[in-house]
Amino acid sequence: MFAGSKQNRPSPGSVYQFNEQGRLTMRTRSGSEVVDQDRRQLLSTAAIGIAAAGAACLFPAYPAPAATSDEIRPFRVNVPEDALVDLRRRINATSWPDQETVTDESQGVQLATMREVARYWGTDYDWRKCEAKLNALPQFMTEIDGLDIHFIHVRSKHENALPVIVTHGWPGSVIEQLKIIDPLTNPTAHGGSVSDAFDLVIPSIPGYGFSARPTTTGWDPDRTARAWVVLMKRLGYTQFVSQGGDLGAVVSHVMAKRAPPELLGIHVNLPATIPPDIAKALRSGDPPPSGLSADERRAYEQLTSLFTKKRAYATMMATRPQTLYGIADSPVGLAAWLLDHGDGYGQPAAAIMSAVLGRTINGHPADGLTRDDVLDDITLYWLTNTAISSARFYWENKFNVYNAADISIPAAVSVFPGENYQAPRSWTERAYHKLIYYNNVDKGGHYAAWEQPQLFSEEVRAGLRVLRKSI
């Protein structure tokens, strides 16, 4: 059985709100405000009566002590209308550059594409729909190592559900994982069995989304991984697994390297498998070494293209994140930065661009993501003012995303065809010393949970299934 205590009593001590510029801020409430709020909540509950029994309350209907550092507090999103009006005003006031001098996307996201994004975003897009989706879920804040961490926590209705913490990447957020919540927590409604159930924890990386923005250095993947262990234990879980893609895979890898006793294993969909000799050849710009198998040669060629043509954005964020003032000041500038992802219509941006344009891009049809999905994520970055703080996570990161992970705890790997590279089984077996699952999936890409939530959920179930039997 996987241990999980009942949710700690939420403390009403802090209020998360948006300022006049539409950016997330926190205010600690006075004791009288807490009592007044509780009194109003009690009266409201009495008036509403039994009809309110199924509704989630932001604060408890009785006086509570001030928050302590390990309290778990409920959280709801409520963006003031003025912030959305200001966002639309800024979008519609964009100062546009000249059109690109080429007929393709080789110079970056094309002007016509960004004009169409801006037209829809500034007129027809409705953030409130995303806000409602988020507020329909159990969201919380808790302080870990001096920083407020936002997370979604959905418990399965099935007993003995396996607890899993799922970490997003850049340019993602918890919005990437919304579609996998029901398939993982309620598997019987999605082709799975009761024994496939998960309790799901989806945190926002520090500096991303609704988590606090660090004001000092040090919040790197290692510190984040340690915070995730604290979070899971605070929720009452004595055993759990970790899942991640993109930077979330880095966090899972670092957690696995630390191998805390509570961590049973990991599943990643951006595996780190490059052997040392291959990494050296790639750094030198050498042609593929002789003796590579067909899948190893393909991976080498994909990685060569990745490292020579598609990592400029990552290099900039890893070296000079503070210089990116433009993406904090201009919504359209932010959107272009997040949409491009360093490779135009290649990988991994093809799925995003196909959604934005509403047509197939490089063989990736617009059937996994919608334009609103993409704009939900971009709008979250804007409203929380996390363009720069999220970029700093690259500056903080000292762990190689692609070189062999050298992990000795149980690990499962899913290789999606639209990923930056398709990790060969031979490299994967060398990088993960207790590889419990490896599968080449036939659909989906870098944003697998977002693009193909059903298929992704099936991979997570299959990959981690053996761990349920081992305890």
Side-chain angles (χ1 to χ4, degrees), residues 332-349:
V332 169
L334 173 66
W337 184 259
L338 300 184
L339 286 172
D340 187 81
H341 210 152
D343 60 0
Y345 296 167
Q347 291 298 345

Side-chain angles (χ1 to χ4, degrees), residues 113-114 116-117 339 350-359 366 369-371 374-375 378:
T113 298
M114 289 311 304
E116 175 56 23
V117 169
L339 286 172
I352 287 180
M353 296 306 295
S354 68
V356 168
L357 296 173
R359 59 182 172 84
L369 293 172
T370 68
R371 180 165 52 179
V374 177
L375 286 176
I378 296 172

Side-chain angles (χ1 to χ4, degrees), residues 16 39 117 193 218 251 363 423 430 435 440:
Y16 288 81
R39 184 180 296 114
V117 169
S193 64
V251 174
R430 292 167 61 183
L435 187 66
N440 274 292

Side-chain angles (χ1 to χ4, degrees), residues 1-3 160-165 197-199 229 232-233 237-243 252 255-267 407-412 432 434-437 463-471:
M1 177 177 291
F2 303 99
N160 299 329
L162 176 60
V164 59
I165 185 165
F198 289 90
D199 277 358
V229 175
M232 295 301 279
K233 292 169 68 175
Y237 295 122
T238 58
Q239 293 176 311
F240 62 89
V241 292
S242 177
Q243 199 288 324
S252 290
M255 195 185 305
K257 291 282 284 186
R258 282 187 162 272
E262 298 84 5
L263 183 63
L264 297 174
I266 66 171
H267 175 275
I407 286 172
S408 297
I409 72 166
Y432 301 90
K434 291 184 180 178
L435 187 66
I436 57 175
Y437 181 85
L464 298 173
R465 188 169 290 141
V466 67
L467 296 180
R468 298 175 186 268
K469 301 174 182 178
S470 65
I471 60 173

Side-chain angles (χ1 to χ4, degrees), residues 11-175:
S11 165
S14 298
V15 177
Y16 288 81
Q17 58 191 18
F18 288 82
N19 62 20
E20 293 179 356
Q21 290 73 43
R23 303 305 173 92
L24 186 69
T25 59
M26 183 188 77
R27 177 172 64 87
T28 300
R29 301 188 301 158
S30 67
S32 62
E33 286 182 289
V34 170
V35 173
D36 287 344
Q37 172 65 53
D38 293 330
R39 184 180 296 114
R40 288 193 297 271
Q41 181 66 51
L42 179 60
L43 292 173
S44 174
T45 302
I48 294 172
I50 199 166
C57 294
L58 180 56
F59 297 120
Y62 44 80
T68 58
S69 61
D70 62 349
E71 288 278 4
I72 295 173
R73 312 182 302 276
F75 176 80
R76 287 177 64 84
V77 183
N78 184 19
V79 176
E81 187 62 28
D82 287 352
L84 301 178
V85 170
D86 179 66
L87 170 59
R88 289 189 288 269
R89 179 191 64 79
R90 288 170 177 264
I91 293 169
N92 294 324
T94 299
S95 179
W96 295 99
D98 294 337
Q99 182 176 319
E100 61 278 358
T101 57
V102 294
T103 58
D104 58 18
E105 77 289 350
S106 59
Q107 292 182 352
V109 183
Q110 293 169 292
L111 180 63
T113 298
M114 289 311 304
R115 281 192 175 277
E116 175 56 23
V117 169
R119 183 206 63 77
Y120 179 79
W121 197 14
T123 56
D124 299 335
Y125 169 75
D126 185 1
W127 162 259
R128 297 300 184 194
K129 293 179 180 179
C130 179
E131 191 174 281
K133 290 179 185 177
L134 290 168
N135 286 335
L137 295 166
Q139 298 180 87
F140 304 93
M141 286 279 191
T142 192
E143 181 185 323
I144 300 176
D145 198 8
L147 205 68
D148 269 334
I149 301 297
H150 164 262
F151 63 98
I152 297 167
H153 183 202
V154 182
R155 295 183 186 273
S156 175
K157 65 182 179 181
H158 301 298
E159 294 184 0
N160 299 329
L162 176 60
V164 59
I165 185 165
V166 180
T167 311
H168 65 81
W170 184 96
S173 63
V174 296
I175 288 173

Side-chain angles (χ1 to χ4, degrees), residues 242-254 256 265-273 405 407 410-416 419 428 432 435 437-439 448 456 459-460 463-464:
S242 177
Q243 199 288 324
D246 193 79
L247 289 176
V250 179
V251 174
S252 290
H253 288 144
V254 173
I266 66 171
H267 175 275
V268 293
N269 54 287
L270 180 57
T273 68
I407 286 172
V413 169
S414 296
V415 178
F416 287 84
E419 188 50 88
T428 306
Y432 301 90
L435 187 66
Y437 181 85
Y438 173 93
N439 188 38
F456 175 87
E459 282 297 297
V460 174
L464 298 173

Side-chain angles (χ1 to χ4, degrees), residues 220-234:
D220 61 359
D222 182 71
R223 192 171 181 180
T224 302
R226 286 184 278 126
W228 281 191
V229 175
V230 172
L231 174 59
M232 295 301 279
K233 292 169 68 175
R234 187 171 295 176

